[in-house]
Amino acid sequence: MTNNTPDQAQQLVDQLTPVDQVRLLAYVANRVAQVFPSSSIAADGLEAVDVWERFFELGEGLAAADTPEGETLTAAVLAMRR
């Protein structure tokens, strides 16, 4: 195991069930929202639409660069819906 904390966290997340991964994502999203309140976005002069566009661009970039060894969270959720 590496000594890099983000790598350790990723390994732990990979051990979670897809449902627990979704719950963790909701928790992390709330934590990020607390760190970057909407007033700080407005103070930067960015429109909310611009922020969301940038968010999705980053997500698409991460998805393109990701080479998962197992099933992705999205694939697991879609499979559970069927």
Side-chain angles (χ1 to χ4, degrees):
M1 184 176 257
T2 66
N3 291 329
N4 191 342
T5 302
D7 289 339
Q8 291 172 333
Q10 185 177 3
Q11 290 174 358
L12 292 172
V13 169
D14 289 342
Q15 295 174 19
L16 296 173
T17 66
V19 172
D20 286 336
Q21 289 180 11
V22 170
R23 290 172 44 205
L24 178 62
L25 180 59
Y27 168 78
V28 171
N30 284 331
R31 294 288 303 222
V32 170
Q34 291 172 4
V35 173
F36 299 104
S38 60
S39 61
S40 69
I41 293 171
D44 292 340
L46 297 174
E47 295 290 327
V49 173
D50 295 335
V51 172
W52 281 112
E53 287 177 5
R54 181 67 180 136
F55 173 79
F56 286 116
E57 287 173 6
L58 291 171
E60 289 170 1
L62 288 172
D66 188 25
T67 54
E69 295 174 3
E71 186 176 39
T72 65
L73 179 59
T74 301
V77 170
L78 290 174
M80 290 175 5
R81 292 177 130 184
R82 295 183 189 137

